[in-house]
Amino acid sequence: MHLLFLSRPAPGHLYPTLRLAEELGARGHRVTFASSDPYLDEQAEAGVRPIRFGRNERRLLETSMLGVVDAVVADPRTAAVATDLARAWDVPLLVAGENLPSSPYGWPHERAYESYVFSIPGTRGTVHNTWRRHGERPVLLVDGPPIGPLVRAFGETPWQVVVSDTELPHADVFLTDGRLAAVSAGLRAGVPMVLAPTTAEEVAHAERVAALGVGTVVTALGDTHAEELRDVVEHLRFDEPTRITAQWLRELVTAEGAPARAADRVTELLATPPLTQAA
């Protein structure tokens, strides 16, 4: 089959779906990988033809370079345009992303797309991940919550507080608000989490992470005393059952999102008519 991949650069990774495209190309499919200027990596492996769509993905409708397309695989950032392309060509659409899929383990999972493929990006194409741990100081990674309470809680401690979500491999503890993208990243990295949710959806995600045994839910950070927050973070840093469980889940997640498994999922979805389009 001829598969058209659409992918935009993502924080920390140039192409979230490039490894999946290359796996499908290695299996004999014809794969065209379309991304935006100036980021396209022209060193894709054999079986994958890269093309640029500039700043407007809809230009792909006007090009004669593609030929007949049998299915479109998009990342969430291009899903809306990909839906239009798939409808115009009357072909199936799949969305491949970094958020976790549904699982018997009950972790928070992607619900926006019925035809969804979980794919972990590789280390190629890293664009925003230049920070590295300095010395032996512990690292608290923060993504989401206001950082004011952190200045008071950790300003004069050995902790390095890093505000980002792309440095997770270097973190000892992850403080986040419970957004799906954030908790998916935390589970992929195997890092214990402190969760400070503010919406009903974030609360549900945070409670699931806590039930898995890899996180602690706190109230609004403004109402959490500095000493209490430090105690929670220090506990997660050293608590052996939490760290063992986090690494066990990381192994499960890594296996689920590996290129071979993700490619199997694409094959399964395309072989199951009628294929549901993105919601």
Side-chain angles (χ1 to χ4, degrees):
M1 293 197 311
H2 180 197
L3 306 176
L4 173 64
F5 272 71
L6 269 66
S7 184
R8 285 182 185 164
H13 298 278
L14 207 55
Y15 311 117
T17 57
L18 181 57
R19 291 203 308 169
L20 172 57
E22 290 174 333
E23 174 68 22
L24 289 162
R27 296 186 180 193
H29 294 288
R30 177 186 170 199
V31 179
T32 300
F33 192 91
S35 193
S36 55
D37 287 328
Y39 301 103
L40 187 59
D41 178 357
E42 298 192 31
Q43 302 304 312
E45 293 182 3
V48 177
R49 179 183 62 147
I51 64 171
R52 291 182 172 91
F53 53 64
R55 296 181 178 275
N56 185 0
E57 300 95 323
R58 286 183 170 82
R59 291 181 57 192
L60 293 170
L61 281 170
E62 305 166 4
T63 182
S64 60
M65 295 174 58
L66 292 175
V68 177
V69 172
D70 296 300
V72 179
V73 183
D75 67 25
R77 291 171 178 79
T78 60
V81 172
T83 299
D84 293 340
L85 296 177
R87 287 173 178 165
W89 295 326
D90 192 25
V91 298
L93 169 67
L94 282 67
V95 176
E98 303 168 71
N99 289 343
L100 297 182
S102 60
S103 163
Y105 296 100
W107 54 48
H109 62 275
E110 181 63 69
R111 299 175 183 272
Y113 311 102
E114 292 186 29
S115 298
Y116 180 73
V117 180
F118 173 51
S119 179
I120 295 179
T123 56
R124 290 175 56 191
T126 300
V127 290
H128 299 299
N129 193 10
T130 59
W131 186 89
R132 293 293 183 271
R133 178 192 291 268
H134 301 290
E136 299 300 320
R137 296 173 59 194
V139 175
L140 174 64
L141 192 67
V142 182
D143 177 53
I147 65 172
L150 298 178
V151 175
R152 295 190 295 273
F154 296 95
E156 297 182 0
T157 71
W159 282 87
Q160 299 177 70
V161 178
V162 181
V163 182
S164 173
D165 67 350
T166 63
E167 325 300 345
L168 267 169
H170 309 288
D172 295 283
V173 179
F174 183 29
L175 172 59
T176 184
D177 52 14
R179 289 173 296 112
L180 180 59
V183 297
S184 293
L187 289 169
R188 292 198 310 267
V191 178
M193 288 176 262
V194 179
L195 303 117
T198 59
T199 68
E201 183 179 51
E202 291 169 358
V203 168
H205 293 161
E207 290 175 347
R208 288 305 314 151
V209 171
L212 289 168
V214 293
T216 299
V217 181
V218 299
T219 57
L221 289 180
D223 299 328
T224 302
H225 296 298
E227 184 176 353
E228 294 174 347
L229 183 57
R230 284 196 301 270
D231 287 345
V232 171
V233 170
E234 288 285 354
H235 172 75
L236 289 178
R237 178 190 175 195
F238 291 109
D239 186 60
E240 194 67 15
T242 299
R243 305 200 70 83
I244 290 174
T245 302
Q247 289 302 310
W248 171 69
L249 287 168
R250 176 180 177 273
E251 293 175 2
L252 293 176
V253 169
T254 299
E256 183 68 22
R261 177 67 190 97
D264 288 345
R265 175 68 172 156
V266 169
T267 302
E268 292 166 5
L269 286 170
L270 292 178
T272 308
L275 184 64
T276 305
Q277 301 272 340

